[in-house]
């Protein structure tokens, strides 16, 4: 074994950096003491030369050693008032003295100008010299045995210097090393180690007796613990090589040295700045995480995930497997927090972080997914919201969540303006400024990341604001725009949809804290605009299959040109392109006519000239600057005589009639393979189906969001009997049917498509949505269904669908969208939108109806002829009784109720009148019968 300072011992010294000087000194003194060929005087003078290097002020350190009548001094020795002394004791009496002097005054420390560690050093040196002298005398006295080594390292292996000094200076660490060593020896089958464990165990019998005994155990004395350490390493020295022992000590000390980070993470008083400093210290140590013991590594990863992102156990467990400590070091450099902040980064940040780490470490999909990126992101910690509210004395807003939902709706615009006209504390402004410097002048999106968001069963899809910023102009203007956007996102916590959503899930009493993600927008500049080439959402599970050949795990993608807002929001005037990545050849729209009819017509983008989020016609964008859109040749098809063909070579967008079909992207590029592989990988590694958002700049694919996919209970296919009398059927459906069934329905709210289409005043159209929202509160929860034209809850033209939000429909059992040819109403295959995700999470069934289909049953006479009781619920809105028809089913059908059964496997659904309390289909093994049902 190498004995110099460049050997294995040096690795241990580096691991013990704060004691390295003392240990190096001891190590060199030990070398001198073991120099068998040297005379006594040479050994003692060598010791004097080695000692000054162990002291803090080595340049002014002089040493004197007195042994009997012999006196040895350092060159240029002179005594001074600043001295430290230790007696050399042999056979119970004083045999000499070791003295260390500083030749100049120095500031007071633990003992005069000397450190407390230096007191332990000089005592250890004096003890080792005493043992050396005793051994020398023993060898001179023939037949006399040398004294026991005791605490000395003389005559022992190199590594004993470390153990011995730790026994004197840091008994807890020495004991931890001894505990690890004795466990290693026991696991290696060393009987003597087992016996040692028994000797130092409590004397009350076995483990069961120890656990059941109510008497306190006796506390081990320091001497007993020191004896245990001594004995453990004596056994180790006899059973293991020096190289093995040094390697183990080195690894265990390295593990022990990073526990400071775990201590900081587990300390509730540690602030985010404290933790950032601890992580920076860890990184500066240059620790290779792979060399840490697995328990230490796992504990650090779990603690980091809990402390920075979320306490949700599923996320913490995933972080233990797929994230590294270094990953958290990167994140913390981009966190904005109050000086004493203890907040977290929230659900959306957590999901993106875990998703990115899974992708980076995937082996099985490395070639396919290696190019997937995440955008540059800064994080605003969740308790910055509390700092903002306290700074502006806005604490009373927290009480707003307990108001009636109508009052919340009325007051919300005022709260938004209140927040936007408030100021941020100076420390947060400094953080925003740093983020802007880092992200430069690239367009940004300010996204919510609340502590409750993007979790299983509480995705909060679309409940909080996400705001786009052009991020152009002077630094001052950009900072004003950023703080304004953050304030507006904060205010969305108090919006009606968010409060209604929280109330539905019994989360209202929890004080919501919101983190913020400040993220660069993926894309490129195209003329006066900035936009991704394409963006969208993708899902592991396809719950809205348009072909029996599509399996549930074939997934689903909603794809749009430009920003992905038109993929995640429901829009009344446009359609995304849908595909199942597991079955890309099975398209929703098979014929050219259908592809043309349902092709995207609009595009969302950032207008750099006006500095605003904007929506323009896609045809205009293509005419103005289509050739500048990266990858455009794979996105468009050319309309030629009513048919579609793929472009060959350059496209003349001014002369060609082009539509976005993504045919080239789907068939000629690895896009579908990448998305399908990504969904499968994330599902496998995160242990749940996922919902992701993505965007592409035409070259690279970026992951923007990753969260558990929402699902509702009781989503299995319902058994539908074949013998229900026609006069009991309210409607049937056989297109785009998902699975499920409703409870017994007592009321139907039917927005008459014909009368709705004749409303000319915009306020009247909006009033229909408000009436539905009021009925949502008054009607029995989950005992009514909503029926009406087109796409409900759309962003866009409310003539094409009733203008509602989640808080307006949260209590319904089902939403039925009616498409009539004469009205021009067309339901959207909305699976994947925030609106649809709300329905899924809330267990609200969704069904599109096509009454003009030849095989469809649609009892319009009942819906328009039964008495409307709107005036009984809302007397002030009786003038809308024929437009918003509220039908009391038991009063209209002789005490019967309405049932809705949906079977996505058969693409069939039926709503029919039945006796209350009748057994649901499939509730027993008997085949259903009409008499039993009706």
């Amino acid at each position: 074994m190498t004995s110099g300072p460049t050997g294995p011992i040096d690795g241990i010294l580096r691991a013990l950096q704060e004691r390295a000087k003392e240990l190096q000194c001891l190590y060199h003194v030990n070398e001198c003491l073991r120099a068998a060929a040297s005379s006594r005087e040479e050994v003692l003078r060598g010791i004097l030369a080695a000692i000054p290097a162990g002291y803090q002020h080595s340049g002014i350190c002089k040493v004197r050693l007195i042994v009997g009548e012999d006196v040895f001094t350092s060159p240029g020795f002179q005594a001074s008032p600043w001295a430290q002394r230790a007696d050399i004791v042999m056979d119970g009496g004083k045999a000499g003295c070791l003295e260390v002097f500083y030749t100049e005054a120095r500031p007071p420390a633990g003992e005069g100008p000397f450190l407390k560690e230096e007191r332990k050093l000089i005592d250890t040196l004096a003890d080792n010299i005493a043992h050396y002298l005793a051994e020398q005398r023993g060898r001179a006295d023939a037949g006399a045995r040398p004294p026991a080594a005791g605490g000395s390292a003389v005559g022992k292996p190199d590594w004993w210097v470390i153990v011995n000094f730790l026994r004197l200076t840091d008994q807890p660490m020495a004991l931890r090393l001894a505990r690890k060593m004795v466990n290693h020896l026991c696991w290696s089958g060393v009987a003597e180690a087992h016996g040692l464990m028994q000797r130092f165990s409590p004397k009350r019998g076995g483990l069961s007796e120890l656990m059941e005994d109510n008497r306190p155990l006796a506390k081990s004395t320091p001497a007993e613990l020191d004896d245990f350490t001594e004995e453990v390493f004596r056994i180790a020295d006899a059973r293991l090589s020096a190289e093995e022992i040094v390697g183990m000590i080195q690894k265990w000390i390295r593990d022990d040295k990073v526990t400071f980070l775990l201590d900081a993470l587990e300390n509730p008083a540690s602030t985010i700045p404290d933790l950032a400093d601890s992580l920076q210290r860890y990184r500066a140590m240059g620790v290779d995480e792979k060399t840490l013991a697995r328990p230490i590594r796992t504990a650090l990863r779990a603690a980091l995930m809990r402390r920075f992102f979320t306490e949700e156990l599923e996320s913490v467990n995933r972080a233990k497997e797929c994230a590294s400590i270094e990953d958290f070091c990167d994140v913390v450099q981009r966190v904005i927090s109050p000086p004493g902040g203890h907040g977290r980064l929230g659900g959306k940040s957590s999901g993106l972080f875990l998703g990115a780490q899974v992708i980076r470490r995937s082996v099985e999909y490395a070639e396919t997914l290696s190019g997937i990126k995440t955008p540059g992101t800064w994080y605003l910690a969740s308790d910055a919201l509390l700092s903002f509210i306290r700074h502006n004395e806005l604490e009373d807003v927290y009480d707003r969540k307990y108001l009636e939902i109508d009052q919340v709706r009325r007051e919300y615009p005022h709260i938004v303006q209140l927040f936007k006209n408030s100021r941020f504390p100076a420390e947060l402004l400094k953080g925003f400024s740093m983020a802007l410097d880092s992200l430069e002048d690239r367009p940004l999106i300010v996204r919510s990341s609340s502590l409750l968001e993007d979790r299983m069963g509480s995705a909060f899809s679309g409940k909080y604001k996400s705001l786009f910023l052009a991020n152009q102009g002077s630094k001052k203007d950009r900072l004003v725009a950023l703080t304004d956007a953050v304030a507006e996102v904060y205010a969305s916590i108090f919006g009606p949809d968010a409060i209604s959503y929280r109330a539905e899930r019994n989360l209202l009493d929890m004080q919501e804290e919101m983190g913020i993600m400040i993220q660069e927008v993926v894309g490129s500049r195209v003329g006066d605009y900035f936009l991704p080439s394409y963006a969208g959402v993708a899902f592991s599970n396809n719950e809205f299959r348009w072909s029996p050949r599509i399996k549930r795990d074939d997934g689903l993608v909603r794809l749009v040109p430009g920003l992905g807002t038109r993929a995640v929001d429901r829009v009344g005037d446009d359609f995304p392109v849908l595909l199942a990545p597991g079955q890309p050849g099975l398209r929703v729209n098979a014929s050219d006519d259908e592809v043309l009819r349902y092709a995207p017509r609009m595009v969302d983008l950032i207008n750099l000239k006006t500095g605003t989020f904007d929506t323009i016609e896609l045809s205009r964008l293509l005419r103005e600057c289509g050739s500048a859109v990266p990858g455009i040749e794979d996105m468009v098809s050319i309309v030629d005589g009513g048919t579609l063909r793929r472009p060959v070579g350059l496209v003349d967008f001014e002369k060609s009639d082009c539509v976005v079909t993504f045919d080239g992207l789907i068939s000629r590029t690895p896009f579908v393979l990448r998305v399908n592989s990504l969904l499968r990988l994330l599902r496998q590694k995160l242990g749940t189906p996922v919902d992701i958002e993505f965007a592409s700049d035409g070259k690279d694919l970026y992951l923007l969001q990753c969260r558990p996919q929402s699902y509702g209970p009781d989503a299995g296919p319902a058994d539908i009997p074949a013998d229900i009398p026609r006069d009991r059927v309210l409607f049937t459906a056989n297109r785009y049917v998902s699975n499920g069934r409703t409870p017994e329905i007592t009321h139907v709210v039917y927005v008459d498509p014909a009368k709705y289409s004749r409303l000319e005043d915009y306020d009247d159209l909006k009033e229909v949505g408000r009436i539905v929202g009021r009925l949502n509160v008054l009607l029995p929860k989950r005992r009514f269904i909503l029926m009406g034209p087109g796409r409900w809850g759309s962003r866009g033209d409310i003539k094409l669908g009733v203008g509602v939000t989640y808080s307006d429909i949260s209590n319904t059992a089902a939403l039925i969208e009616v498409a009539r040819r004469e009205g021009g109403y067309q339901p959207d295959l909305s699976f994947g939108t925030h609106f649809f995700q709300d329905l899924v999470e809330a267990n609200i069934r969704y069904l599109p109806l096509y009454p003009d289909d030849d095989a469809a049953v649609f009892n319009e006479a009942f819906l328009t002829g039964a008495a409307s009781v709107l005036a009984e619920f809302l007397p002030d809105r009786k003038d809308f009784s024929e437009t918003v028809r509220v039908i009391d089913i038991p009063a209209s059908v002789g005490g019967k109720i309405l049932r809705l059964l949906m079977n996505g496997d058969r693409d069939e659904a039926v709503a029919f009148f039945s006796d209350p309390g009748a057994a649901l289909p499939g509730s027993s093994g008997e085949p259903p019968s009409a008499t039993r049902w009706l």
Side-chain angles (χ1 to χ4, degrees):
M1 172 176 158
T2 304
S3 61
T6 58
I9 292 296
D10 193 50
I12 300 178
L13 297 179
R14 287 195 300 270
L16 292 168
Q17 290 177 13
E18 70 274 21
R19 300 193 183 94
K21 291 179 67 176
E22 295 97 331
L23 285 169
Q24 283 281 16
C25 173
L26 271 175
Y27 184 73
H28 288 300
V29 167
N30 192 47
E31 284 187 312
C32 295
L33 294 171
R34 293 170 60 205
S38 300
S39 67
R40 175 175 177 269
E41 181 174 345
E42 288 173 333
V43 168
L44 296 180
R45 290 199 179 279
I47 291 172
L48 261 63
I51 288 175
Y55 276 76
Q56 182 182 19
H57 305 295
S58 57
I60 57 169
C61 183
K62 301 295 180 180
V63 184
R64 179 166 61 190
L65 173 60
I66 302 173
V67 178
E69 296 181 357
D70 297 329
V71 178
F72 304 89
T73 60
S74 302
F77 172 81
Q78 59 181 11
S80 76
W82 308 289
Q84 190 178 53
R85 296 177 176 84
D87 290 339
I88 297 173
V89 178
M90 295 175 60
D91 298 330
K94 181 177 177 180
C97 179
L98 178 64
E99 299 173 307
V100 174
F101 296 86
Y102 281 159
T103 58
E104 300 174 7
R106 284 294 181 265
E111 181 182 319
F114 298 96
L115 301 173
K116 62 180 182 179
E117 290 82 8
E118 291 165 350
R119 163 49 60 191
K120 295 176 181 178
L121 174 63
I122 196 172
D123 287 344
T124 303
L125 292 171
D127 184 55
N128 283 358
I129 293 170
H131 282 281
Y132 166 77
L133 296 172
E135 287 181 355
Q136 290 290 311
R137 187 178 62 185
R139 281 194 290 270
D141 184 6
R145 297 182 54 178
S152 173
V154 179
K156 293 194 174 185
D158 293 345
W159 53 262
W160 185 257
V161 177
I162 307 296
V163 175
N164 186 54
F165 190 65
L166 288 176
R167 287 168 61 196
L168 294 169
T169 63
D170 192 344
Q171 191 180 61
M173 178 180 281
L175 192 60
R176 288 195 293 273
L177 293 178
R179 189 186 71 243
K180 292 175 187 290
M181 180 59 79
V182 77
N183 285 334
H184 174 79
L185 294 170
C186 287
W187 292 333
S188 300
V190 177
E192 197 174 357
H194 284 283
L196 180 65
M197 291 282 279
Q198 291 296 323
R199 282 200 349 244
F200 281 91
S201 294
K203 306 299 188 291
R204 293 190 194 165
L207 178 63
S208 60
E209 184 178 341
L210 175 66
M211 296 299 293
E212 294 170 3
D213 199 324
N214 294 325
R215 292 171 295 169
L217 294 172
K219 181 178 178 180
S220 298
T221 65
E224 288 174 331
L225 295 176
D226 190 59
D227 289 345
F228 174 74
T229 302
E230 167 94 13
E231 188 70 10
V232 167
F233 283 100
R234 183 193 64 75
I235 297 171
D237 190 29
R239 297 295 190 278
L240 304 173
S241 69
E243 288 78 7
E244 287 178 300
I245 294 174
V246 167
M248 291 175 189
I249 291 176
Q250 190 169 6
K251 182 179 186 306
W252 294 334
I253 288 178
R254 186 170 53 242
D255 288 349
D256 199 83
K257 296 314 295 173
V258 301
T259 56
F260 78 90
L261 178 56
L262 190 58
D263 291 341
L265 290 165
E266 298 293 355
N267 183 356
S270 296
T271 65
I272 288 182
D274 291 338
L275 298 177
D277 289 343
S278 295
L279 281 168
Q280 193 170 18
R281 176 183 166 194
Y282 167 86
R283 177 176 266 180
M285 290 170 62
V287 177
D288 182 355
E289 186 176 341
K290 295 177 183 176
T291 65
L292 296 177
R294 182 176 177 82
I296 295 288
R297 187 168 66 241
T298 302
L300 282 170
R301 290 175 179 178
L304 284 162
M305 191 68 190
R306 285 197 310 269
R307 189 61 187 81
F308 281 106
F309 286 101
T310 177
E311 289 190 330
E312 188 182 27
L313 288 180
E314 286 300 318
S315 297
V316 173
N317 287 333
R318 298 296 169 251
K320 291 188 295 189
E321 301 300 324
C322 68
S324 71
I325 301 170
E326 189 66 23
D327 295 329
F328 292 95
C329 292
D330 291 337
V331 166
V332 78
Q333 302 303 314
R334 291 172 278 118
V335 174
I336 303 168
S337 168
H342 295 81
R344 295 186 176 89
L345 307 186
K348 195 168 290 180
S349 300
S350 169
L352 181 59
F353 173 79
L354 288 177
Q357 306 320 316
V358 166
I359 295 168
R360 189 194 308 176
R361 288 171 175 79
S362 69
V363 177
E364 58 272 47
Y365 295 103
E367 185 176 349
T368 306
L369 303 180
S370 60
I372 294 181
K373 301 178 178 180
T374 54
T377 305
W378 278 68
Y379 307 89
L380 182 59
S382 58
D383 58 350
L385 168 64
L386 306 180
S387 177
F388 172 79
I389 286 178
R390 285 194 296 266
H391 187 72
N392 294 282
E393 299 181 349
L394 299 174
E395 288 85 354
D396 64 301
V397 297
Y398 282 116
D399 298 334
R400 305 293 91 191
K401 62 188 178 184
Y402 295 112
L403 299 174
E404 294 295 330
I405 198 65
D406 282 346
Q407 190 172 350
V408 170
R409 194 176 285 113
R410 287 193 300 270
E411 292 193 6
Y412 176 55
H414 169 72
I415 289 179
V416 171
Q417 290 303 316
L418 183 64
F419 274 53
K420 287 167 76 74
N421 283 281
S422 296
R423 297 180 180 275
F424 281 86
E427 60 270 13
L428 296 183
L429 290 175
K430 180 180 178 182
F432 293 146
S433 179
M434 292 172 59
L436 289 175
D437 289 341
S438 171
L439 297 168
E440 299 177 331
D441 60 351
R442 294 186 290 274
L444 304 175
I445 179 171
V446 179
R447 311 185 75 185
S448 67
S449 182
S450 82
L451 300 188
L452 300 175
E453 197 170 357
D454 282 7
R455 300 167 64 167
M456 182 63 72
S458 62
F460 282 82
S461 303
K463 300 300 172 295
Y464 302 131
K465 285 284 189 77
S466 291
L467 299 174
F468 289 93
L469 301 176
N471 195 32
Q472 304 295 296
S474 68
K475 173 75 174 291
K476 179 180 178 182
D477 291 341
R478 292 161 53 214
L479 183 59
V480 168
L482 177 58
T483 55
D484 183 72
V486 171
E488 187 169 344
V489 174
Y490 276 164
S492 65
I493 289 178
F494 305 100
D497 277 7
I499 288 176
S500 178
Y501 187 91
R502 290 173 62 193
E504 278 285 309
R505 287 155 182 78
N506 294 317
L507 300 173
L508 204 56
D509 294 328
M510 296 181 66
Q511 180 166 303
E512 177 69 299
E513 290 187 22
M514 178 180 283
I516 296 282
M517 298 169 68
I518 304 170
Q519 198 172 67
E520 63 178 317
V521 176
V522 173
S524 55
R525 181 164 190 153
V526 178
D528 290 331
Y529 310 115
F530 188 95
L531 69 159
S533 295
Y534 58 87
V537 291
F539 303 86
S540 297
N541 287 346
N542 190 331
E543 304 289 0
F544 206 35
R545 302 180 287 282
W546 53 86
S547 167
R549 291 167 56 191
I550 295 175
K551 300 184 293 294
R552 189 169 186 250
D553 62 358
D554 282 330
L556 183 134
V557 173
R558 292 173 63 89
L559 194 60
V560 297
L563 297 172
T565 43
R566 301 182 80 79
V568 299
D569 292 334
R570 225 172 176 215
V571 291
D573 55 354
D574 210 0
F575 294 90
V577 172
L578 301 184
L579 65 120
Q583 297 277 1
L586 299 177
R587 305 290 291 275
V588 178
N589 303 309
S591 68
D592 284 355
D593 179 64
E594 289 179 323
V595 172
L596 281 169
R597 182 177 179 187
Y598 299 119
R601 295 282 187 262
M602 311 296 288
V603 59
D604 288 347
L605 42 72
I606 296 173
N607 190 322
L608 297 176
K609 190 174 183 179
T610 63
T612 59
F613 173 88
D614 206 352
T615 301
I616 66 172
E617 291 182 351
L618 190 52
S619 58
R620 171 185 161 189
L621 177 71
L622 294 177
R623 284 195 310 272
E624 290 180 3
C625 44
S627 58
V629 177
I632 190 65
E633 64 279 358
D634 288 324
M635 297 168 54
V636 300
S637 295
I638 297 175
V639 183
D640 189 355
T643 62
L644 297 173
R645 63 178 176 85
R646 293 177 185 168
V648 178
L650 297 176
V651 180
D652 186 341
F653 288 102
E654 291 187 3
K655 296 179 180 179
S656 301
D657 183 9
C658 296
V659 294
V660 170
T661 61
F662 296 111
D663 278 351
L665 183 72
I666 295 168
S667 62
R668 293 200 300 260
T669 76
F671 168 75
V672 174
L673 174 63
R674 298 181 85 187
V675 171
N676 197 36
S677 300
L678 180 58
L679 291 173
R680 293 184 182 279
L681 172 68
L682 292 173
R683 178 176 190 152
Q684 173 191 346
K685 297 296 184 180
L686 299 180
T688 179
V690 295
D691 159 0
I692 66 172
E693 293 182 18
F694 60 86
S696 172
D697 57 9
K699 176 185 175 184
D700 296 311
L701 190 67
Y702 287 77
L703 181 69
L704 308 181
Q705 179 173 292
C706 177
R707 63 185 175 196
Q709 183 175 349
S710 301
Y711 63 87
D714 304 324
D719 291 332
I720 298 178
D723 51 359
I724 302 174
R726 176 70 176 256
D727 62 351
R728 299 294 180 91
V729 176
L730 180 60
F731 59 78
T732 63
N734 55 10
R735 293 168 63 180
Y736 316 126
V737 176
S738 54
N739 289 323
R741 67 192 78 207
T742 64
E744 298 181 343
I745 301 303
T746 61
H747 291 79
V748 172
V749 178
Y750 180 63
V751 179
D752 189 316
K755 291 184 170 58
Y756 186 77
S757 68
R758 288 198 286 269
L759 294 175
E760 298 294 338
D761 190 279
Y762 181 78
D763 286 340
D764 286 343
L765 291 167
K766 291 291 289 182
E767 184 61 25
V768 170
R770 287 192 285 266
I771 290 171
V772 170
R774 294 173 67 185
L775 291 170
N776 183 64
V777 176
L778 298 173
L779 290 170
K781 183 176 181 179
R782 298 290 186 270
R783 301 295 298 276
F784 70 96
I785 63 173
L786 299 172
M787 298 180 65
R791 283 172 273 183
W792 290 52
S794 307
R795 174 170 63 87
D797 187 359
I798 61 173
K799 284 287 274 188
L800 299 178
V802 181
V804 292
T805 64
Y806 174 78
S807 62
D808 297 315
I809 64 167
S810 58
N811 290 327
T812 189
L815 176 64
I816 317 296
E817 295 186 331
V818 182
R820 300 306 298 263
R821 291 194 187 107
E822 64 271 17
Y825 295 114
Q826 178 65 47
D828 175 18
L829 301 186
S830 62
F831 180 72
T833 63
H834 290 159
F835 187 82
F836 191 90
Q837 294 301 91
D838 288 340
L839 304 185
V840 171
E841 280 190 354
N843 204 25
I844 298 171
R845 303 303 168 199
Y846 169 77
L847 185 66
L849 294 185
Y850 299 86
D852 300 312
D853 286 358
D854 292 338
V857 175
F858 187 70
N859 192 346
E860 188 171 21
F862 175 80
L863 293 169
T864 58
S868 174
V869 295
L870 175 66
E872 294 181 13
F873 292 95
L874 300 173
D876 59 323
R877 296 284 71 185
K878 63 182 179 181
D879 51 325
F880 279 83
S881 290
E882 292 306 311
T883 302
V884 184
R885 309 196 84 252
V886 181
I887 302 170
D888 185 327
I889 297 296
S892 302
V893 198
K896 289 183 167 48
I897 48 83
L898 184 71
R899 296 187 187 277
L900 173 61
L901 305 177
M902 302 166 61
N903 188 314
D905 297 345
R906 291 165 50 183
D907 212 15
E908 294 180 13
V910 61
F912 62 96
F913 303 116
S914 171
D915 290 326
L920 290 171
S923 59
S924 73
E926 304 173 15
S929 66
T931 53
R932 180 174 162 219
W933 281 73
L934 304 173

